[in-house]
Amino acid sequence: MIGSVAIAADGAKQPNVIFILADDMGYSDLGCYGGDIETPNLDKLAAGGLKFTNFYNTARCWPTRGALLSGYYAQQIHRDALPGLGGGGQASRQNWARLLPDYLKPHGYRSYHSGKWHIDGKVLDAGFDRSLDMRNQGNFFTAKGNFEDDKPVTPAADESGYYSTIAVVDHAIDCLKEHSDKYADQPFFHYVAFIAPHFPLHALPEDIAKYRDNYLKGWDKVREERFARQRELGLLHTSLSALEPEVGPPYDFPEAIKKLGPGEINRPLPWTELTDEQRRFQATKMAIHAAMVDRMDHEIGRLVEQLKAMGEYENTLIFFASDNGASAEIMVRHGGHDPSAPMGSAASYLCLGPGFSSAANTPFRRHKTWVHEGGISTPLIVHWPAGIKAKGELRNTPGHVVDIAPTILDAVGVEKPTEWDGEAIPAAPGKSLVPAFGEDVAIDRDFLWWLHEGNRAIRAGDWKLVAAKDDPWELYDLSVDRAESNNLAKQNPEKVKELEALWNQQLEASIELAKKTVKKPAKKK
């Protein structure tokens, strides 16, 4: 037993692990987190397992992915920038900053990757046995630019039936079938990383049709309805954040607004202030976003059915999360945008924008890139019939993607090594969430920490100190105010000073670790 979770009783095979990651999906997009999008397969996993209510990512795609698979804050392993030191999407991890497959392989695990990578280095060099690396993230309707097993993919001559969300699971199922045929005596780890619902908003016409008129009610009404369902589900004890009409996209691309036409708007204004053309344009963008989430859920259902066909469903630990909150970005990249093309088709290039991003992130403030709750909060579903007795229960302990690697190692009974290739492996901040699998207990930790593009935050207990770039610190009591509506900084200056000192302490520690050449351990005599 590890905590209250059975690992491999009666000589049973170690559990398989699947981590499913969405891209730019909001906290409230899933039905089981209060959303209006049809997500029956994820809802079933939640009903048969656990829903974490206070789980966090890093506010951006590449830092989250590095942190998730390593157990370190992205800044510590050069996967996000530090003041005066650099780091980020183009930087490389230290040799000791290994990813999960390297720790699992010596214990008999085979590892597979299907979907987005966005971590430094080649996938197979990181310990994976097979990979579909979807480097083409600008067109959901072609495989052009993708890599399989670190080699360029040759797209089919006729790609009329291609859609990347389906292709992710086609590859995942192919890996699982091969595993069942050739390696059935070994456990597996599978990292399934969808691009959806990241921009460009591309979806199948039949999926868009399901939602085409659903959002004409506007983002104000959608937020209210989602929040009411969240309260009914007992997910949150907070107010609904106010829309911030002055807060637009994190990056300014005025030329994109011109290309997108008069239907586009880059502020979450009251719905009643929009023109009819703007309301239809915005509602259709949200319909495409919903279609992308719906299709992702449908494909996850196919993945689950494959596990059942293999007889591995009961003994597979499945996680689901999003790499950051929904995005307020508005831009036109890659092939550009044809305003005469059907919205959601390959010739269009659309982004969700701050209006419906606010709805997707209900009930929280801000969006992807910010480290207010809207940028960093994600659903976390955990499902494992053989190891978790609880069904449909909530877990309220704060957690972070740095916890995923130690949680998986703990759950499968693997002890992380203390050195790699003769180098000592430094202590990592991630904590195992396994104790919370059995009951709703708090995971003991000093704090959780964030820094991205000058946006910064720290959470210690229920206190959160947060600031957007160049703004003063704000202080919130998250036990009653995850909407970050009541800034308590002026009333509690000592708490601000205390948390700021902690934030700076972690910043300095991260800089030292990122700069440090780890000494080789002394040779044993």
Side-chain angles (χ1 to χ4, degrees):
M1 301 284 286
I2 293 183
S4 58
V5 181
I7 296 305
D10 303 322
K13 189 177 72 172
Q14 287 174 291
N16 311 303
V17 181
I18 295 180
F19 197 98
I20 305 170
L21 192 66
D23 197 333
D24 285 12
M25 193 196 78
Y27 185 86
S28 73
D29 276 332
L30 302 184
C32 56
Y33 277 79
D36 45 69
I37 303 171
E38 293 181 20
T39 55
N41 294 295
L42 286 166
D43 294 350
K44 286 177 186 176
L45 292 177
L50 306 173
K51 288 190 296 184
F52 283 72
T53 62
N54 280 265
F55 197 72
Y56 293 109
N57 47 50
T58 72
R60 200 66 177 274
C61 38
W62 63 86
T64 287
R65 292 157 203 276
L68 188 155
L69 290 180
S70 73
Y72 292 91
Y73 288 122
Q75 294 80 4
Q76 296 175 315
I77 58 171
H78 303 162
R79 296 301 297 154
D80 206 354
L82 285 164
L85 197 61
Q90 304 304 314
S92 299
R93 291 169 290 125
Q94 304 93 321
N95 186 57
W96 50 259
R98 313 310 300 178
L99 305 185
L100 263 172
D102 278 333
Y103 298 140
L104 295 172
K105 190 178 292 286
H107 299 272
Y109 278 79
R110 286 182 61 82
S111 294
Y112 307 107
H113 159 254
S114 305
K116 188 171 179 176
W117 180 235
H118 222 171
I119 303 175
D120 57 301
K122 295 181 178 180
V123 185
L124 299 192
D125 288 349
F128 287 90
D129 295 286
R130 288 186 60 184
S131 165
L132 174 61
D133 179 1
M134 287 195 157
R135 300 189 186 186
N136 181 348
Q137 292 151 36
N139 187 344
F140 280 72
F141 297 103
T142 178
K144 184 179 180 180
N146 293 339
F147 278 59
E148 187 165 359
D149 297 336
D150 294 327
K151 297 178 181 178
V153 166
T154 301
D158 180 7
E159 290 193 290
S160 58
Y162 182 90
Y163 185 63
S164 65
T165 301
I166 297 173
V168 167
V169 174
D170 284 346
H171 180 265
I173 288 175
D174 186 62
C175 290
L176 292 179
K177 286 181 176 179
E178 182 190 53
H179 187 93
S180 183
D181 290 342
K182 298 180 180 179
Y183 310 103
D185 59 333
Q186 295 177 246
F188 62 81
F189 167 63
H190 204 139
Y191 175 44
V192 181
F194 290 99
I195 302 172
H198 190 287
F199 59 82
L201 298 177
H202 282 171
L204 301 176
E206 61 268 30
D207 293 340
I208 299 172
K210 291 174 62 175
Y211 299 96
R212 183 168 300 280
D213 295 334
N214 289 22
Y215 300 104
L216 287 169
K217 66 185 75 172
W219 43 64
D220 317 75
K221 186 66 173 177
V222 171
R223 295 178 81 238
E224 292 171 3
E225 292 176 349
R226 289 189 175 195
F227 181 57
R229 286 191 291 269
Q230 290 173 331
R231 296 295 294 269
E232 290 174 8
L233 292 167
L235 282 172
L236 301 159
H237 304 283
T238 183
S239 60
L240 175 62
S241 66
L243 283 174
E244 298 178 273
E246 73 283 2
V247 177
Y251 317 107
D252 189 25
F253 295 107
E255 290 303 312
I257 304 296
K258 295 178 184 177
K259 292 176 183 177
L260 293 164
E264 190 56 278
I265 180 171
N266 67 350
R267 293 291 186 272
L269 300 176
W271 192 251
T272 54
E273 295 184 12
L274 273 60
T275 66
D276 288 345
E277 184 176 10
Q278 288 171 335
R279 284 194 285 265
R280 168 50 76 182
F281 189 85
Q282 299 300 318
T284 303
K285 289 201 302 176
M286 183 60 192
I288 302 166
H289 174 89
M292 296 171 82
V293 174
D294 182 307
R295 174 55 55 176
M296 177 177 63
D297 180 85
H298 181 85
E299 299 307 310
I300 289 169
R302 286 206 298 136
L303 189 65
V304 168
E305 288 305 309
Q306 177 60 32
L307 291 174
K308 291 178 178 178
M310 294 164 59
E312 297 289 355
Y313 178 69
E314 297 287 322
N315 196 37
T316 299
L317 170 57
I318 301 174
F319 298 85
F320 175 87
S322 178
D323 65 350
N324 44 249
S327 174
E329 294 163 287
I330 297 177
M331 62 184 72
V332 175
R333 299 196 303 200
H334 305 290
H337 173 70
D338 179 357
S340 67
M343 293 176 68
S345 67
S348 69
Y349 199 100
L350 303 166
C351 302
L352 191 57
F356 276 113
S357 173
S358 297
N361 294 332
T362 301
F364 305 130
R365 279 179 65 195
R366 303 288 172 99
H367 322 267
K368 170 186 175 180
T369 76
W370 281 277
V371 295
H372 288 75
E373 294 289 285
I376 59 176
S377 296
T378 172
L380 177 68
I381 297 170
V382 184
H383 181 275
W384 182 19
I388 299 176
K389 294 181 179 179
K391 308 292 182 189
E393 294 186 9
L394 301 180
R395 294 294 182 261
N396 296 299
T397 186
H400 188 284
V401 287
V402 295
D403 299 330
I404 295 302
T407 298
I408 290 173
L409 294 177
D410 191 3
V412 305
V414 168
E415 186 173 347
K416 182 180 172 180
T418 58
E419 61 179 83
W420 189 269
D421 285 346
E423 275 191 314
I425 297 177
K431 306 287 185 182
S432 172
L433 300 176
V434 164
F437 285 5
E439 55 185 324
D440 189 18
V441 297
I443 301 302
D444 185 34
R445 69 172 86 238
D446 294 330
F447 55 80
L448 293 169
W449 183 86
W450 291 268
L451 172 64
H452 183 65
E453 295 191 345
N455 303 314
R456 56 208 189 277
I458 187 168
R459 175 172 178 166
D462 286 324
W463 288 107
K464 181 181 177 185
L465 193 68
V466 60
K469 183 180 180 181
D470 299 327
D471 285 354
W473 287 112
E474 302 165 3
L475 179 68
Y476 299 102
D477 178 0
L478 298 188
S479 67
V480 294
D481 185 24
R482 283 190 68 193
E484 296 170 316
S485 298
N486 184 21
N487 182 4
L488 301 174
K490 290 183 179 179
Q491 296 97 308
N492 295 272
E494 292 306 313
K495 179 59 70 174
V496 172
K497 289 180 181 178
E498 173 193 337
L499 293 178
E500 182 179 28
L502 270 178
W503 189 90
N504 284 318
Q505 177 183 317
Q506 180 59 41
L507 174 65
E508 293 303 319
S510 295
I511 290 172
E512 287 306 306
L513 183 54
K515 287 171 25 178
K516 187 177 181 181
T517 300
V518 180
K519 294 180 180 179
K520 293 183 179 180
K523 291 184 179 180
K524 296 179 181 179
K525 295 183 179 179

